[in-house]
Amino acid sequence: TIIPAYPAAVVDPTGAGDCYEAGFLFALSLFSDPKELGRFASVVASRCVETPGAPRISKAEVLSLLADWQDNAVPARPFSFLS
């Protein structure tokens, strides 16, 4: 299963992987479905890159964004090192 990235307006990508891992590990206490684990972690990582420095992200904020996110509503964005 491919889990798309939650859309984000990137300001500072530092720590995105760490935030994803932390979100995934925290999600283990909430979900058992691997897809939901990845979606939760994706939302956490997206919020992480939208602010400079270490963000403060609440569980309620992530669950709210997750509830509104539909996989098919996320536009595919091509990846390029040059853009």
Side-chain angles (χ1 to χ4, degrees), residues 1-82:
T1 301
I2 295 174
I3 299 167
Y6 188 84
V10 179
V11 173
D12 181 5
T14 306
D18 294 330
C19 287
Y20 184 93
E21 289 180 28
F24 187 89
L25 292 173
F26 182 79
L28 285 171
S29 70
L30 305 173
F31 309 106
S32 59
D33 179 17
K35 184 176 180 181
E36 289 304 307
L37 297 173
R39 287 168 44 89
F40 189 95
S42 181
V43 171
V44 171
S46 75
R47 297 296 293 132
C48 176
V49 302
E50 291 184 329
T51 59
R56 297 182 71 90
I57 306 166
S58 72
K59 173 184 167 185
E61 176 185 5
V62 175
L63 290 174
S64 174
L65 292 170
L66 192 58
D68 293 339
W69 181 26
Q70 308 225 347
D71 286 344
N72 58 2
V74 178
R77 293 180 287 171
F79 179 80
S80 171
F81 283 108
L82 303 175

